[in-house]
Amino acid sequence: MKVAVFSTKPYDQKNLDKFNQGNHQLTYIPARLTPLTALLSDGYDAVCCFVNDQLDNDCIEILASNGVKHIAMRCAGYNNVNLNTCLKHNINGVRVPEY
Protein backbone atom coordinates (compact mmCIF):
# COMPACT_ATOMS: atom_id res chain seq x y z
CA MET A 1 0.00 0.00 0.00
CA LYS A 2 1.24 3.49 -0.84
CA VAL A 3 1.02 5.76 2.22
CA ALA A 4 1.64 9.51 2.42
CA VAL A 5 2.82 10.20 5.98
CA PHE A 6 2.15 13.83 6.91
CA SER A 7 3.63 15.93 9.75
CA THR A 8 6.67 13.71 10.01
CA LYS A 9 9.73 14.31 12.13
CA PRO A 10 12.97 12.30 11.86
CA TYR A 11 11.97 10.12 14.83
CA ASP A 12 8.65 9.27 13.12
CA GLN A 13 10.47 8.10 10.02
CA LYS A 14 12.93 6.03 12.07
CA ASN A 15 10.19 4.25 14.02
CA LEU A 16 7.81 3.76 11.11
CA ASP A 17 10.58 2.33 8.94
CA LYS A 18 11.56 -0.04 11.76
CA PHE A 19 8.05 -1.44 12.20
CA ASN A 20 6.98 -1.27 8.54
CA GLN A 21 9.78 -3.62 7.47
CA GLY A 22 9.11 -2.84 3.81
CA ASN A 23 5.45 -3.94 3.91
CA HIS A 24 4.14 -0.60 2.67
CA GLN A 25 5.60 2.15 0.50
CA LEU A 26 5.87 5.12 2.86
CA THR A 27 6.49 8.68 1.65
CA TYR A 28 7.38 11.12 4.42
CA ILE A 29 5.99 14.64 4.13
CA PRO A 30 7.07 17.10 6.86
CA ALA A 31 4.16 19.46 6.13
CA ARG A 32 0.85 19.29 7.98
CA LEU A 33 -2.10 17.86 6.08
CA THR A 34 -4.43 20.72 5.15
CA PRO A 35 -6.63 21.37 2.12
CA LEU A 36 -3.58 23.00 0.49
CA THR A 37 -1.22 20.06 1.06
CA ALA A 38 -3.88 17.39 0.43
CA LEU A 39 -2.99 17.62 -3.26
CA LEU A 40 0.21 15.71 -2.36
CA SER A 41 -1.93 12.62 -1.66
CA ASP A 42 -2.57 12.02 -5.36
CA GLY A 43 -1.74 8.40 -6.19
CA TYR A 44 -1.69 7.20 -2.57
CA ASP A 45 -3.99 4.58 -1.06
CA ALA A 46 -3.73 5.99 2.46
CA VAL A 47 -2.58 8.93 4.52
CA CYS A 48 -1.03 8.74 7.96
CA CYS A 49 -1.66 11.84 10.05
CA PHE A 50 -1.03 13.39 13.43
CA VAL A 51 -2.95 15.51 15.92
CA ASN A 52 -2.36 18.90 14.22
CA ASP A 53 -3.37 17.76 10.75
CA GLN A 54 -6.60 19.28 9.44
CA LEU A 55 -8.90 16.59 8.08
CA ASP A 56 -11.94 18.77 7.58
CA ASN A 57 -14.59 18.46 4.88
CA ASP A 58 -12.51 20.25 2.21
CA CYS A 59 -9.39 18.20 2.92
CA ILE A 60 -11.22 14.86 2.88
CA GLU A 61 -13.01 15.79 -0.36
CA ILE A 62 -9.57 16.28 -1.95
CA LEU A 63 -8.25 13.03 -0.45
CA ALA A 64 -11.26 11.16 -1.85
CA SER A 65 -10.86 12.68 -5.31
CA ASN A 66 -7.21 11.56 -5.23
CA GLY A 67 -8.25 7.97 -4.49
CA VAL A 68 -7.30 7.82 -0.80
CA LYS A 69 -9.31 5.08 0.95
CA HIS A 70 -7.68 4.94 4.39
CA ILE A 71 -6.72 7.40 7.13
CA ALA A 72 -4.36 6.21 9.86
CA MET A 73 -4.00 8.55 12.82
CA ARG A 74 -0.75 8.43 14.82
CA CYS A 75 -2.61 9.68 17.90
CA ALA A 76 -5.55 8.69 20.06
CA GLY A 77 -7.70 11.68 19.19
CA TYR A 78 -9.67 12.07 16.01
CA ASN A 79 -11.61 15.27 16.69
CA ASN A 80 -9.76 16.83 13.74
CA VAL A 81 -11.29 14.29 11.31
CA ASN A 82 -14.66 14.95 9.68
CA LEU A 83 -16.13 11.47 10.08
CA ASN A 84 -19.29 12.25 8.12
CA THR A 85 -17.28 13.16 5.04
CA CYS A 86 -15.20 10.00 5.49
CA LEU A 87 -18.39 7.91 5.57
CA LYS A 88 -19.73 9.70 2.50
CA HIS A 89 -16.61 8.67 0.55
CA ASN A 90 -16.12 5.20 2.06
CA ILE A 91 -12.82 6.21 3.65
CA ASN A 92 -11.80 3.93 6.53
CA GLY A 93 -10.00 5.23 9.58
CA VAL A 94 -7.85 3.85 12.35
CA ARG A 95 -6.22 5.47 15.36
CA VAL A 96 -4.05 4.68 18.34
CA PRO A 97 -6.47 3.42 21.01
CA GLU A 98 -4.27 4.60 23.90
CA TYR A 99 -0.69 5.32 24.82
Side-chain angles (χ1 to χ4, degrees):
M1 181 181 305
K2 288 181 65 175
V3 182
V5 186
F6 285 87
S7 298
T8 55
K9 305 286 187 212
Y11 56 83
D12 293 315
Q13 183 171 348
K14 178 182 174 184
N15 287 319
L16 289 171
D17 283 343
K18 175 182 174 182
F19 290 103
N20 180 44
Q21 299 179 354
N23 291 313
H24 302 285
Q25 181 183 340
L26 305 178
T27 300
Y28 297 103
I29 302 169
R32 288 178 50 228
L33 179 60
T34 68
L36 292 175
T37 60
L39 297 173
L40 298 172
S41 69
D42 191 28
Y44 288 88
D45 306 301
V47 293
C48 182
C49 305
F50 198 52
V51 67
N52 290 323
D53 291 312
Q54 180 185 340
L55 290 102
D56 59 11
N57 181 67
D58 294 339
C59 185
I60 293 171
E61 290 284 346
I62 295 167
L63 295 177
S65 70
N66 285 344
V68 171
K69 291 294 181 191
H70 309 282
I71 297 172
M73 299 299 295
R74 299 188 315 275
C75 54
Y78 55 94
N79 60 312
N80 56 332
V81 181
N82 185 318
L83 298 176
N84 289 328
T85 307
C86 288
L87 287 171
K88 173 183 166 186
H89 292 288
N90 254 354
I91 296 176
N92 298 315
V94 295
R95 66 182 178 93
V96 176
E98 63 183 32
Y99 291 100

